[in-house]
Amino acid sequence: MPQSADKVIDHEMLFREPEYQDMLSNKKQFELKHSDEKITSIVEWTKTEDYKQKNFARDSLTVNPAKACQPLGAVFAANGFAKTLSFVHGSQGCVAYYRAHFSRHFKEPTSCVSSSMTEDAAVFGGLNNMVDGLANAYSLYKPDMIAVSTTCMAEVIGDDVDAFIKTSKQKGSIPEEFDVPFAHTPAFVGSHITGYDNALMGVLRHFWDGKAKTTEPLVRVPNDSINFIGGFDGFVVGNMREIRRIFDLFGVQVNIICDPSESWNTPTDGEFRMYAGGTTKEEVVAALHAKATIIFQEFSCEKTAKFIAEHGQEVVTMNAPMGVAGTDKFLMEISRLTGKPIPAALEKERGELVDAMTDSQAHLHGKRYALYGDPDQMLGYAAFLMELGAEPTHIVSTNGGKEWEVKVQALLDSTPYGKGCKVYPKRDLWHLRSLLFTEPVDFLIGNTYGKFLERDTKTPLVRLVFPIHDRHHYHRYATWGYNGSMRVLVMLLDEFFEALDANTMEIAKTDYSYDIVR
Amino acid sequence: MTAVVEDRKAANKALIDEVLKAYPEKMAKRRAKHLGVFEEGKPDCGVKSNIKSLPGVMTIRGCAYAGSKGVVWGPIKDMVHISHGPVGCGQYSWANRRNYYIGTTGIDTFVTMQFTSDFQEKDIVFGGDKKLDKIIDEIQELFPLNKGISIQSECPIGLIGDDIEAVSKKKSKEHEGHTIVPVRCEGFRGVSQSLGHHLANDAIRDWVLDKADTGKNPTFVSTPYDVAIIGDYNIGGDAWSSRILLEEMGLRVISQWSGDGTLAEMENTPKAKLNVLHCYRSMNYISRHMEEKFGIPWVEYNFFGPTMIEKSLREIASHFDDTIKAKAEEVIAKYKPLMQAVIDKYKPRLQGKTVMLYIGGLRPRHVIGAYEDLGMVVVGTGYEFGHNDDYQRTTHYIKDATLIYDDVTGYEFEHFVDSVKPDLVGSGIKEKYVFQKMGVPFRQMHSWDYSGPYHGYDGFAIFARDMDMAISSPIWALTKAPWKKAA
């Protein structure tokens, strides 16, 4: 009997006890498993060039993709507005998934409702669900705004969300003047970053373009303020704080459009806050008049960027700028747009980052990295790695396309450290598994799902991509700016040192290199 | 005592009236049917269930796809389960139910992987059957050791009229009778994940059991003690800490559904002498089917906490001869000292503590005994997707005046907890942080908060420790700042 009250053992150790091992080996007689030889031969085959070619030849099956669907991004975006309830028009299971997914990443509650469409709505349309749903959401959760997005179901049956919202108002579900921005976010187009983009533009369009033709469009009166949009970002809690701090140091009033950093970072003090922080309606209105908008993730904001530019302001798009040059560029843009000099405090931080990089570059120089994740973030991380003398080797993005590929290639071509690197748009983690076997690298940068690659290919994983379900609190720390880059640097170094220690730990065999000073 | 019970009934009824006030009138009427206070002696809990959720409320429920792929089919380890439709559903249900298994992932085992047809706009317009056809070929080429394939339909499949049954038949023929199972578990079907369980069971019946080639496993020799574990998903290894007890009492477990399960085991099940059913809600359908078609009796069991384990072991043994009955007694006697030691250690710290539950499947009733073994009292419970027969079964577990909430909404649950002020809430990830912010200790009772197993005797030790660590953690004394406390 392995278990005892004195020392309770968990699943981690319990099933290694002899009685469980016997039980599990006995179970095999009923499983009709393939022979060990057969399994081993297939394992070895999956590591080969032949398997890789077959793997890359597939054009219909997707295995372990690094992307989620549009409405998830829409829920992220809605969460960035003050006292805004996210309302997903479609079947309810999707919303259960979004709430769980975000809660697992941020370790925070995520509020969102759906219109709970079922078979009858599939046949007759979801109008009644919208009419009742808005009434319920409004009465129960008392939001200032309800941001509507759609699931694939609502899109396939072709529900007219704009008309439904108007009908709901006529039927008295919500007051006529109540703000209900909306976006169509079919899950079979694009990915979560597309949904973020659509939902964000939906909010701007609602306020700027006359609230779905119920009021006059706003007229832009240009001023000197600056808007900032972050894009879909798993580190938003730490990053938005850092962005605000940087603008504060400049003495520039920044208007952050879509900021969920407080709603996913509420205190435990005896009170549950369903709404916290976020961009207010007044700020959304004011954003029209800004001098310029800085967008941190171009591919996360394609439509939004175009929309804002069409309304007469300058739009500066970046690709999740990281590291020294990336952050330099960001600060110089702020300086250019505002006419204010780069603050000395930030210049000192820059020096500190460069200092840390010079202290540590020797350990990372020439190390080969495989990266996967959202298109902008791949550009940001790749640029930073190359500043460190590290070599990105495989860059995979399931939701990155041709345009992204060209952009990454240009970045790679700009330094000798990008020479050996290949870019893989629209590929998944099973493709990456083949690459890691046929062209191995030293480290992997990605999200939690990469741990299966880490196990199979023994490539240490640095978790820097959404979602991170199996490590706690990474999202609380910035990855942007000089300070954020410092954090990323430490994460890269920690993984390197851990791997080095693990590889030199064997007593009287390899531990001559198990050094105290590094 | 009666006065106390009457007071609690009145308080709970007042609480229900209060939450209903927040709804528009028509909706309040609908929700009223799902909220109640248990009256001892009544045949059910007095609430309606398995009815559509209200639109626009924060329901905790999932969908049919979640019930089929996420619960029933997903854990069958040597089959590839295709999430057929857009990318999201498969992505969100990827490996988060912790259905433990032994196998070489990606080679002969596929549970912690996400296979999807990743529907694009053109697939919606032109239909996905051709793509599915190709996907099956690609799976056969790249994952040649898979024992079968299931097709888990997402919402668009039914809406655009794809014929996944025809594709399955065609491809099965092309691949030498390979098991390929279409499951019509589109998320919009039914009112919750519950219909997905049912549809998944039907697919097992029609596409696995009915087609099983009994000569596939020629080495199989029946014994009088063959049983199958039905409805255990092996969350954190639950089925293993259950299986070991059944084997210790002399039974032979020839099949395990579906946690750590294989296609061969499913196909073998009709040879069992008894099906032992853990999650009644998700697998009573297939158990009833096997009873009718193959004459296999089934028995529900509850492996949470020593009282219920003891009762269940005896109940299972009663279907066999005296040697098994005697061995069951030996097993019970063997673990008694361990159970006593666990209770002696934790009960003094947990005695009288109150719990509110809100979970799916069988747990809103089955775990009550385990809490009671530790001296704790469940004061409120409800099902995400229970049916009337679940609420009937619940009456055997709960006390007079227990607050009952079916398909509770976020709004209601928050208010109930805020008013009742239990010492512990047991629910899911979406609820966890809401209550922890409020300063209420919480355990995830779907996933055991990444701990477990909780089933069986070994599991109870972990359960007891976990409940104690949740409630007794020093952190709860720190949620209010000292200067706030003084004020």
Side-chain angles (χ1 to χ4, degrees):
Chain A
M1 198 186 315
Q3 197 66 283
S4 76
D6 293 336
K7 190 173 186 298
V8 175
I9 50 173
D10 284 288
H11 51 83
E12 179 196 1
M13 299 311 293
L14 179 64
F15 302 123
R16 295 187 202 182
E17 295 290 333
E19 45 269 78
Y20 278 99
Q21 287 299 306
D22 287 350
M23 182 198 81
L24 290 170
S25 76
N26 191 38
K27 179 176 183 290
K28 282 189 185 154
Q29 66 179 298
F30 304 107
E31 294 184 345
L32 276 193
K33 270 171 75 76
H34 296 282
S35 70
D36 288 347
E37 296 74 49
K38 207 166 187 181
I39 291 169
T40 309
S41 78
I42 299 294
V43 168
E44 292 309 315
W45 175 55
T46 65
K47 299 177 182 175
T48 63
E49 187 61 35
D50 175 55
Y51 188 86
K52 183 181 114 181
Q53 279 176 20
K54 290 190 164 73
N55 190 10
F56 272 78
R58 70 182 145 96
D59 61 14
S60 299
L61 172 69
T62 298
V63 188
N64 298 355
K67 68 168 180 183
C69 66
Q70 275 216 57
L72 181 88
V75 173
F76 183 107
N79 230 9
F81 293 91
K83 255 198 124 182
T84 297
L85 183 63
S86 190
F87 183 114
V88 182
H89 182 54
S91 49
Q92 73 200 12
C94 311
V95 163
Y97 278 140
Y98 313 143
R99 295 182 63 207
H101 207 61
F102 283 128
S103 291
R104 288 189 176 108
H105 176 82
F106 290 111
K107 320 291 178 205
E108 290 282 330
T110 302
S111 300
C112 177
V113 299
S114 94
S115 52
S116 288
M117 283 162 66
T118 55
E119 283 106 331
D120 54 343
V123 177
F124 302 110
L127 174 62
N128 290 336
N129 297 69
M130 180 72 84
V131 172
D132 288 344
L134 287 177
N136 283 331
Y138 179 75
S139 326
L140 286 183
Y141 301 111
K142 306 199 168 20
D144 279 355
M145 175 156 95
I146 296 176
V148 172
S149 53
T150 56
T151 68
C152 50
M153 178 198 182
E155 290 298 325
V156 170
I157 64 175
D159 275 3
D160 184 346
V161 172
D162 184 16
F164 286 9
I165 293 167
K166 288 189 171 118
T167 308
S168 301
K169 288 185 170 182
Q170 280 158 16
K171 295 196 173 210
S173 296
I174 42 173
E176 281 288 344
E177 67 285 359
F178 190 79
D179 291 306
V180 187
F182 66 90
H184 289 277
T185 51
F188 45 82
V189 175
S191 72
H192 56 287
I193 60 172
T194 325
Y196 172 92
D197 193 12
N198 281 329
L200 182 57
M201 188 182 69
V203 174
L204 296 182
R205 189 178 48 202
H206 173 80
F207 286 99
W208 293 5
D209 282 0
K211 305 193 173 183
K213 300 199 174 97
T214 60
T215 59
E216 285 299 307
L218 298 179
V219 177
R220 177 173 140 85
V221 186
N223 60 31
D224 277 342
S225 65
I226 301 290
N227 299 324
F228 178 87
I229 295 175
F232 189 105
D233 169 31
F235 292 82
V236 66
V237 170
N239 276 338
M240 281 302 184
R241 196 184 286 156
E242 182 64 15
I243 294 295
R244 284 187 191 283
R245 194 185 66 89
I246 289 171
F247 278 99
D248 274 355
L249 286 168
F250 265 99
V252 169
Q253 182 71 38
V254 65
N255 191 1
I256 292 183
I257 309 173
C258 184
D259 178 6
S261 66
E262 278 190 55
S263 80
W264 275 320
N265 187 24
T266 61
T268 287
D269 60 358
E271 185 194 341
F272 162 56
R273 296 159 179 83
M274 193 167 136
Y275 307 107
T279 311
T280 63
K281 292 187 214 177
E282 294 71 31
E283 286 166 334
V284 176
V285 168
L288 172 68
H289 311 300
K291 179 175 190 182
T293 298
I294 298 177
I295 290 179
F296 240 39
Q297 295 195 63
E298 181 187 17
F299 292 100
S300 210
C301 301
E302 287 174 321
K303 287 183 191 159
T304 303
K306 194 162 165 262
F307 177 84
I308 295 173
E310 281 166 5
H311 282 71
Q313 13 173 317
E314 181 178 352
V315 176
V316 178
T317 51
M318 304 195 175
N319 299 103
M322 293 242 2
V324 181
T327 308
D328 290 350
K329 192 178 164 210
F330 172 47
L331 301 189
M332 287 189 290
E333 285 294 350
I334 299 175
S335 179
R336 177 182 70 80
L337 291 166
T338 62
K340 298 202 177 199
I342 310 270
L346 287 173
E347 202 173 309
K348 181 158 183 283
E349 281 173 21
R350 184 185 192 279
E352 288 165 2
L353 174 63
V354 174
D355 180 62
M357 288 164 71
T358 56
D359 295 343
S360 307
Q361 57 80 23
H363 293 298
L364 301 179
H365 193 101
K367 297 293 176 299
R368 291 151 58 91
Y369 283 81
L371 301 72
Y372 66 88
D374 288 343
D376 291 298
Q377 290 173 12
M378 293 303 92
L379 279 154
Y381 287 131
F384 187 37
L385 286 172
M386 293 192 292
E387 282 182 345
L388 288 159
E391 295 172 12
T393 304
H394 314 298
I395 304 179
V396 175
S397 185
T398 313
N399 50 356
K402 189 81 207 152
E403 210 184 316
W404 170 77
E405 185 185 10
V406 170
K407 205 145 199 169
V408 182
Q409 197 55 55
L411 172 71
L412 295 170
D413 292 342
S414 69
T415 132
Y417 298 98
K419 210 174 162 213
C421 184
K422 278 201 192 128
V423 193
Y424 298 92
K426 303 215 176 287
R427 297 298 188 181
D428 56 44
L429 302 192
W430 198 257
H431 292 117
L432 183 53
R433 185 177 183 274
S434 278
L435 293 173
L436 293 176
F437 279 125
T438 52
E439 300 154 70
V441 298
D442 300 305
F443 297 97
L444 187 58
I445 293 177
N447 60 21
T448 279
Y449 296 121
K451 74 190 294 176
F452 301 125
L453 292 172
E454 181 176 34
R455 174 197 56 198
D456 291 358
T457 69
K458 310 274 180 283
T459 316
L461 168 69
V462 191
R463 289 164 177 79
L464 282 167
V465 171
F466 175 90
I468 298 167
H469 293 325
D470 65 336
R471 295 291 184 270
H472 287 200
H473 307 308
Y474 286 7
H475 65 276
R476 294 179 191 274
Y477 296 92
T479 54
W480 292 344
Y482 301 125
N483 276 348
S485 303
M486 186 79 88
R487 160 88 182 156
V488 172
L489 173 65
V490 172
M491 287 183 77
L492 298 176
L493 287 165
D494 278 353
E495 203 61 45
F496 166 77
F497 290 126
E498 286 294 336
L500 186 56
D501 281 346
N503 197 36
T504 54
M505 234 181 212
E506 222 174 324
I507 296 168
K509 213 166 177 190
T510 61
D511 65 347
Y512 48 82
S513 297
Y514 194 63
D515 291 321
I516 277 289
V517 183
R518 275 173 178 156
Chain B
M1 186 67 201
T2 341
V4 176
V5 170
E6 289 311 313
D7 283 353
R8 274 188 45 215
K9 279 185 189 168
N12 282 342
K13 280 177 184 156
L15 191 53
I16 291 170
D17 289 342
E18 195 189 309
V19 297
L20 290 173
K21 278 187 199 138
Y23 288 90
E25 203 177 332
K26 183 174 88 176
M27 300 297 166
K29 265 189 196 152
R30 281 170 62 182
R31 279 305 301 158
K33 295 173 185 156
H34 299 266
L35 306 172
V37 183
F38 178 56
E39 299 275 353
E40 201 157 75
K42 291 273 168 71
D44 59 28
C45 297
V47 295
K48 296 266 186 213
S49 57
N50 197 33
I51 295 171
K52 274 198 278 191
S53 304
L54 299 188
V57 304
M58 228 166 302
T59 176
I60 291 158
R61 284 174 167 179
C63 65
Y65 164 89
S68 177
K69 190 269 182 179
V71 176
V72 176
W73 277 102
I76 298 291
K77 64 183 178 180
D78 55 1
M79 290 175 70
V80 168
H81 308 291
I82 304 169
S83 294
H84 189 41
V87 66
C89 316
Q91 201 74 2
Y92 310 127
S93 58
W94 185 359
N96 57 38
R97 254 177 74 94
R98 299 173 63 233
N99 307 106
Y100 285 2
Y101 62 84
I102 305 287
T104 309
T105 306
I107 308 299
D108 72 338
T109 310
F110 311 94
V111 180
T112 49
M113 294 176 71
Q114 154 37 349
F115 292 86
T116 176
S117 44
D118 187 12
F119 259 39
Q120 302 298 309
E121 208 156 12
K122 63 177 189 314
D123 301 313
I124 299 288
V125 177
F126 300 111
D129 287 346
K130 276 203 183 118
K131 189 175 198 180
L132 182 61
D133 186 296
K134 186 89 195 297
I135 282 171
I136 289 167
D137 292 339
E138 290 176 352
I139 288 172
Q140 289 301 91
E141 177 169 42
L142 293 170
F143 306 95
L145 299 189
N146 84 78
K147 289 292 181 71
I149 295 169
S150 84
I151 300 151
Q152 308 285 322
S153 305
E154 299 173 8
C155 283
I157 304 306
L159 298 172
I160 62 176
D162 276 3
D163 192 351
I164 58 170
E165 287 82 3
V167 178
S168 299
K169 282 182 192 154
K170 172 175 173 258
K171 297 314 286 184
S172 176
K173 216 173 263 173
E174 280 174 32
H175 292 284
E176 292 154 2
H178 201 65
T179 298
I180 301 177
V181 184
V183 194
R184 287 269 175 204
C185 56
E186 289 89 344
F188 61 82
R189 291 188 198 277
V191 302
S192 68
Q193 48 269 65
S194 181
L195 187 69
H197 307 138
H198 198 160
L199 294 165
N201 279 212
D202 289 353
I204 293 170
R205 179 194 64 204
D206 297 344
W207 296 82
V208 177
L209 298 188
D210 282 3
K211 291 175 189 263
D213 171 7
T214 43
K216 224 177 183 178
N217 189 356
T219 57
F220 186 87
V221 182
S222 282
T223 78
Y225 303 123
D226 290 353
V227 297
I229 291 177
I230 309 280
D232 191 319
Y233 301 101
N234 210 31
I235 310 287
D238 282 333
W240 293 335
S241 56
S242 302
R243 183 184 181 110
I244 204 162
L245 299 178
L246 298 177
E247 290 185 346
E248 272 188 80
M249 68 190 268
L251 300 173
R252 195 172 78 141
V253 181
I254 62 165
S255 169
Q256 197 176 302
W257 288 29
S258 55
D260 195 35
T262 56
L263 179 63
E265 287 172 80
M266 284 172 106
E267 292 174 337
N268 247 347
T269 310
K271 294 172 189 159
K273 300 293 184 295
L274 179 72
N275 282 330
V276 297
L277 174 58
H278 193 244
C279 181
Y280 170 85
R281 181 71 274 136
S282 59
M283 284 208 185
N284 81 82
Y285 317 99
I286 197 70
S287 303
R288 289 177 201 277
H289 169 72
M290 284 190 273
E291 183 176 40
E292 277 170 31
K293 180 144 188 207
F294 308 106
I296 307 168
W298 53 277
V299 56
E300 275 182 85
Y301 69 105
N302 176 349
F303 270 8
F304 289 103
T307 305
M308 288 300 156
I309 298 173
E310 205 172 307
K311 202 171 157 213
S312 294
L313 289 175
R314 291 199 174 109
E315 171 75 30
I316 293 167
S318 76
H319 290 260
F320 295 93
D321 60 23
D322 288 347
T323 53
I324 298 293
K325 285 176 196 151
K327 274 195 174 168
E329 292 305 324
E330 277 174 37
V331 172
I332 292 165
K334 176 185 159 190
Y335 287 94
K336 228 172 192 140
L338 170 66
M339 290 299 96
Q340 199 53 55
V342 169
I343 289 169
D344 289 347
K345 181 171 174 181
Y346 295 107
K347 194 169 177 177
R349 305 218 277 259
L350 297 174
Q351 182 82 47
K353 300 282 187 197
T354 56
V355 187
M356 286 175 78
L357 299 170
Y358 180 71
I359 338 169
L362 64 146
R363 293 156 177 172
R365 59 177 182 274
H366 273 200
V367 296
I368 293 174
Y371 282 112
E372 288 176 348
D373 285 334
L374 295 168
M376 300 170 73
V377 191
V378 173
V379 295
T381 192
Y383 292 83
E384 269 185 42
F385 49 82
H387 297 210
N388 191 36
D389 49 0
D390 292 301
Y391 284 102
Q392 285 169 356
R393 287 170 158 75
T394 307
T395 60
H396 307 305
Y397 288 92
I398 52 175
K399 301 242 170 355
D400 207 11
T402 302
L403 184 62
I404 307 289
Y405 29 82
D406 176 68
D407 183 24
V408 79
T409 67
Y411 179 85
E412 293 160 0
F413 201 14
E414 193 194 317
H415 278 73
F416 288 158
V417 170
D418 200 30
S419 301
V420 174
K421 302 206 184 315
D423 298 296
L424 180 76
V425 174
S427 192
I429 182 72
K430 306 191 289 300
E431 298 73 66
K432 179 181 176 72
Y433 302 106
V434 170
F435 296 120
Q436 290 189 173
K437 301 278 177 195
M438 289 164 62
V440 182
F442 186 98
R443 288 298 296 178
Q444 289 187 65
M445 295 303 285
H446 301 273
S447 65
W448 313 145
D449 249 320
Y450 325 115
S451 176
Y454 280 179
H455 294 178
Y457 288 119
D458 287 333
F460 180 68
I462 300 173
F463 172 86
R465 181 206 58 191
D466 285 2
M467 297 311 136
D468 175 53
M469 74 157 76
I471 292 176
S472 308
S473 168
I475 198 68
W476 303 116
L478 303 174
T479 55
K480 282 263 180 281
W483 53 92
K484 281 271 166 82
K485 259 186 226 163

